[in-house]
Amino acid sequence: MSLTIYDIAKEAGVSITTVSRVLNSKGEVSVATRAKIQAVLEKSGYAPSQLARGLASKLSKTVGIVAVDLRASHHANLVHQTEYCLSQQGYSAIVCSLAGKPDRLDEYIEMLLSRQVDGIVFTGSVFAGEPYHSILAAKFLTLPCVVLNALLPEANFFGIINDECAAFADVVRLLYSKGRRNLAFLGGAPTLSEEQKRLGYRTGMERVGLGKQILEYHSPHDFEAGYTATQALMREHPETDAIICSVDPTAVGCIHALHHMGYRVPGQISVVGANNTDMALACYPQLTSVDTKPYETSDLAVKMLVEAIEEKNPEKVKRLDCRLVQRHST
Amino acid sequence: MSLTIYDIAKEAGVSITTVSRVLNSKGEVSVATRAKIQAVLEKSGYAPSQLARGLASKLSKTVGIVAVDLRASHHANLVHQTEYCLSQQGYSAIVCSLAGKPDRLDEYIEMLLSRQVDGIVFTGSVFAGEPYHSILAAKFLTLPCVVLNALLPEANFFGIINDECAAFADVVRLLYSKGRRNLAFLGGAPTLSEEQKRLGYRTGMERVGLGKQILEYHSPHDFEAGYTATQALMREHPETDAIICSVDPTAVGCIHALHHMGYRVPGQISVVGANNTDMALACYPQLTSVDTKPYETSDLAVKMLVEAIEEKNPEKVKRLDCRLVQRHST
DNA sequence: ACAAAGACCGAAAGCGCTTTCATAGCTTCC
DNA sequence: GGAAGCTATGAAAGCGCTTTCGGTCTTTGT
């Protein structure tokens, strides 16, 4: 096998305790011995076993990242950046992708606990809703957790909230300024994030004086669903001239449906999405989308989590604003 | 802290050795004691510490997944499915996303080794090229590694090769059958995967009697690059009526460029991509794409890796065929 | 009836670290 | 000059498991 702390100690002519001390830079070590040990360390290429370290210190320097579905671009971005930030801080990430199957959450949590992770990051507001929340609550998790885009009532659950409400109100204002008067909202299951968007839509509509014309449709967060929901919407409300979708995949499905029904985008109908994923760039016309800043969100999440792990009592909730990115679909 | 094997042993009135035996179902245990221990196990909700287990047994039941860039849809799919298969086999995945920065590979490998991973999966053919290959080679990795879409010469490196060559020859045949006669190829840096595609293109061209009209352009694997490369291509070879791109993002950039230059797709020009990512679905018209079967690839990778870890000597290379998915861009 | 062979179980030694506690050697101070 | 206080170091006890080895108690064969 590889080198152990004993090899280093022997080579340097000191005890493993002293080696451990310089490894963790804690405790007093004379300049001379420190230098000697450092030298041995350098040339040996020794790296301490994180397993042994974790076992002895009760800190594994590992965190779990649980994503609803890693295949979704927005989540992949969040996981990517979260992992990156964690690695910068000396933590490794064990990632779990639920593939939309809530029942796997239970096993994953169990697994993460058995691996002594120091904390967990959940990407996605669905974790605040059912059945996820019940599963999490039943675990009585005592380790720090941060949920992206949601806030759970439990202690040691930290949250980051994107202010999507304001951004969606802006979306309405933008569309209104372009002359659109029949704006529909196409949203998903009522998570916090969805509710914020919906609220933003309503608020925006009130502000521009269209409060009486609220039109809300429902669609899961995928391409197909966006497609069929749009067909229904246009059949029942042919006067619609702008569709605000809660996420990009829905919006892309929406655009395709409109194309196939013979509408011109943005000529006749404007479409807006959210999360500013690469789908927004890929579709034609390119999609105007609410940027929910996955990078900033992840950075903040890791910052909060690490602070919580180190018992620095970070704030329980942080807020981040969103930015509307205009492209050719409006 | 949580329960340990001692608690279980005491509760069941046996030694920890015996508990360990039923936990790992190895060694002889009478039916009676086994039942007794099982019962205690059930109602306690005990889960063995994987850290301690790994330390004692030298098998961490953890594998590293190193992706060139998790943000790229194709890689996210691979990582997702690989993680899923691993979890089914009792392994956890530590994921590392290089974000296209080769220099981070070194640190990641070091980290994975210090965590005693039992194996590593690399997603992407770039790992067979420079500078990645040199970095890997310098490590003298003795643990099993599998590289998706590439094969490294080193021992204990296993590979899965997608037969993209045949698929790209099929692409040419398809386009030819649709009346296209000026087919250009838009590929990336010369990795094995890229070379296969290029070879497929050439072979296909020979077969349909267009061997004299090989036209190859170069473009990194992203949207922007595909866009600009296409502009150059069309400026220099306006007679082109079909563009075969080596990956979807390039193809999407290509389509956008064509749109902006006033060409109709597929009216005047056909475009094809590869990997069949969600970008292929998102863009308009939806993209004909070579499906490189990320799910089958990942399944196979995990199968090979686990066999290698358990010293079952799997074959060094496995091949998988690809499938051409026709959509509206051709 | 007695030896040989199993079946079943526990003691104890690690795995590679961290951490507590004790000790030895030096200063410092009145 | 001796008590008090540092600084620098090591011995040893864990952390929660696996695994080897040996021992006891039944079987089985003759």
Side-chain angles (χ1 to χ4, degrees), chain A residues 253-279:
Chain A
C254 172
I255 287 186
H256 279 261
L258 293 175
H259 279 152
H260 290 172
M261 293 172 91
Y263 294 98
R264 279 173 293 107
V265 179
Q268 296 167 274
I269 305 187
S270 298
V271 177
V272 178
N275 286 340
N276 195 27
T277 61
D278 50 12
M279 286 185 106

Side-chain angles (χ1 to χ4, degrees), chain A residues 177-284:
Chain A
S177 77
K178 302 251 179 191
R180 307 294 166 170
R181 292 296 178 271
N182 297 289
L183 322 189
F185 178 82
L186 186 48
T191 63
L192 169 64
S193 164
E194 285 291 325
E195 285 307 331
Q196 273 197 71
K197 295 172 184 185
R198 187 185 312 263
L199 182 60
Y201 163 68
R202 289 182 184 164
T203 311
M205 291 294 273
E206 299 281 344
R207 286 213 192 115
V208 298
L210 260 33
K212 296 287 176 222
Q213 299 184 41
I214 299 293
L215 177 60
E216 296 172 350
Y217 267 71
H218 181 276
S219 155
H221 286 174
D222 62 76
F223 181 87
E224 296 299 340
Y227 191 95
T228 51
T230 300
Q231 287 182 317
L233 193 164
M234 293 311 294
R235 208 177 307 121
E236 295 161 21
H237 297 275
E239 75 285 4
T240 303
D241 57 10
I243 304 179
I244 302 170
C245 302
S246 68
V247 291
D248 285 348
T250 309
V252 171
C254 172
I255 287 186
H256 279 261
L258 293 175
H259 279 152
H260 290 172
M261 293 172 91
Y263 294 98
R264 279 173 293 107
V265 179
Q268 296 167 274
I269 305 187
S270 298
V271 177
V272 178
N275 286 340
N276 195 27
T277 61
D278 50 12
M279 286 185 106
L281 276 171
C283 80
Y284 191 84

Side-chain angles (χ1 to χ4, degrees), chain A residues 50 60-62 71 80 83-84 92-93 95 97 104 108 111 114-115 223 256 259 282-283 286 295, chain B residues 50 60-62 71 80 83-84 92-93 95 97 104 108 111 114-115 223 256 259 282-284 286 295:
Chain A
Q50 294 298 331
S60 64
K61 282 285 184 178
T62 303
R71 292 167 298 187
H80 167 88
E83 189 280 322
Y84 177 67
S92 305
V95 343
S97 177
R104 300 187 53 201
Y108 272 130
M111 180 275 276
S114 78
R115 297 204 179 261
F223 181 87
H256 279 261
H259 279 152
C283 80
Q286 290 189 325
Y295 287 46
Chain B
Q50 295 297 332
S60 65
K61 282 285 184 177
T62 303
R71 292 167 299 187
H80 167 87
E83 189 280 322
Y84 176 67
S92 305
V95 342
S97 176
R104 300 188 54 201
Y108 271 131
M111 180 275 275
S114 77
R115 298 206 178 259
F223 181 87
H256 279 261
H259 279 151
C283 80
Y284 190 86
Q286 290 190 325
Y295 286 45

Side-chain angles (χ1 to χ4, degrees), chain B residues 164-185 196-211 213-216 241-245 270 272 288 290 324 330:
Chain B
E164 297 174 280
C165 183
F168 273 74
D170 286 348
V171 168
V172 173
R173 189 184 352 248
L174 170 73
L175 293 169
Y176 186 87
S177 78
K178 302 250 181 191
R180 307 294 167 170
R181 291 297 179 270
N182 297 289
L183 322 190
F185 178 81
Q196 274 197 70
K197 294 172 185 185
R198 187 185 313 263
L199 182 59
Y201 163 69
R202 289 181 184 165
T203 310
M205 290 293 273
E206 299 281 345
R207 286 215 193 114
V208 298
L210 260 35
Q213 299 183 42
I214 299 292
L215 178 59
E216 296 172 350
D241 58 10
I243 303 179
I244 303 170
C245 302
S270 298
V272 177
T288 291
V290 172
L324 182 54
T330 47

Side-chain angles (χ1 to χ4, degrees), chain B residues 295-315:
Chain B
Y295 286 45
E296 285 85 338
T297 305
S298 302
D299 291 353
L300 201 50
V302 171
K303 184 161 170 291
M304 287 170 81
L305 188 67
V306 171
E307 282 179 4
I309 291 172
E310 294 171 353
E311 294 172 335
K312 293 204 192 127
N313 294 316
E315 295 175 54

Side-chain angles (χ1 to χ4, degrees), chain B residues 16-329:
Chain B
I16 62 165
T17 312
T18 306
V19 176
S20 172
R21 272 192 274 257
V22 350
L23 243 24
N24 302 293
S25 20
K26 66 168 63 162
E28 323 266 2
V29 178
S30 74
V31 204
T33 32
R34 160 165 287 116
K36 191 169 50 183
I37 295 174
Q38 291 283 21
V40 177
L41 248 23
E42 304 277 87
K43 82 167 196 292
S44 69
Y46 162 80
S49 157
Q50 295 297 332
L51 290 192
R53 226 191 245 236
L55 184 57
S57 71
K58 322 245 107 213
L59 277 180
S60 65
K61 282 285 184 177
T62 303
V63 333
I65 303 181
V66 181
V68 183
D69 196 333
L70 187 53
R71 292 167 299 187
S73 181
H74 180 50
H75 290 276
N77 286 341
L78 291 170
V79 172
H80 167 87
Q81 185 67 11
T82 303
E83 189 280 322
Y84 176 67
C85 291
L86 284 170
S87 76
Q88 298 288 81
Q89 307 257 4
Y91 286 84
S92 305
I94 295 185
V95 342
C96 309
S97 176
L98 294 181
K101 303 197 192 102
D103 44 308
R104 300 188 54 201
L105 179 56
D106 203 85
E107 309 160 25
Y108 271 131
I109 299 284
E110 220 52 65
M111 180 275 275
L112 291 174
L113 292 179
S114 77
R115 298 206 178 259
Q116 317 267 113
V117 293
D118 300 333
I120 307 182
V121 175
F122 296 90
T123 78
S125 57
V126 297
F127 290 104
E130 295 308 327
Y132 301 97
H133 181 220
S134 297
I135 300 175
L136 292 179
K139 291 285 171 189
F140 286 115
L141 294 177
T142 56
L143 77 178
C145 296
V146 7
V147 187
L148 305 189
N149 239 296
L151 179 61
L152 301 208
E154 281 77 15
N156 61 59
F157 264 87
F158 299 86
I160 296 172
I161 311 275
N162 286 98
D163 186 6
E164 297 174 280
C165 183
F168 273 74
D170 286 348
V171 168
V172 173
R173 189 184 352 248
L174 170 73
L175 293 169
Y176 186 87
S177 78
K178 302 250 181 191
R180 307 294 167 170
R181 291 297 179 270
N182 297 289
L183 322 190
F185 178 81
L186 186 47
T191 63
L192 170 64
S193 165
E194 284 292 325
E195 284 308 330
Q196 274 197 70
K197 294 172 185 185
R198 187 185 313 263
L199 182 59
Y201 163 69
R202 289 181 184 165
T203 310
M205 290 293 273
E206 299 281 345
R207 286 215 193 114
V208 298
L210 260 35
K212 297 286 176 221
Q213 299 183 42
I214 299 292
L215 178 59
E216 296 172 350
Y217 266 71
H218 181 276
S219 153
H221 287 174
D222 62 76
F223 181 87
E224 296 299 339
Y227 190 96
T228 53
T230 299
Q231 287 182 318
L233 194 165
M234 294 310 295
R235 208 177 305 120
E236 296 160 21
H237 297 274
E239 75 283 5
T240 303
D241 58 10
I243 303 179
I244 303 170
C245 302
S246 67
V247 291
D248 285 348
T250 309
V252 171
C254 173
I255 287 186
H256 279 261
L258 293 174
H259 279 151
H260 291 172
M261 294 173 89
Y263 295 98
R264 279 173 293 105
V265 179
Q268 298 166 272
I269 306 188
S270 298
V271 177
V272 177
N275 286 340
N276 195 27
T277 60
D278 50 12
M279 285 185 108
L281 277 172
C283 80
Y284 190 86
Q286 290 190 325
L287 198 59
T288 291
S289 184
V290 172
D291 183 1
T292 51
K293 302 192 177 169
Y295 286 45
E296 285 85 338
T297 305
S298 302
D299 291 353
L300 201 50
V302 171
K303 184 161 170 291
M304 287 170 81
L305 188 67
V306 171
E307 282 179 4
I309 291 172
E310 294 171 353
E311 294 172 335
K312 293 204 192 127
N313 294 316
E315 295 175 54
K316 194 137 166 71
V317 201
K318 280 276 195 181
R319 293 178 185 282
L320 233 41
D321 59 349
C322 297
R323 192 175 46 104
L324 182 54
V325 179
Q326 286 193 49
R327 295 213 183 78
H328 311 300
S329 67

Side-chain angles (χ1 to χ4, degrees), chain A residues 46-65:
Chain A
Y46 161 80
S49 157
Q50 294 298 331
L51 289 192
R53 228 191 245 239
L55 184 57
S57 72
K58 322 246 108 213
L59 277 180
S60 64
K61 282 285 184 178
T62 303
V63 333
I65 302 181

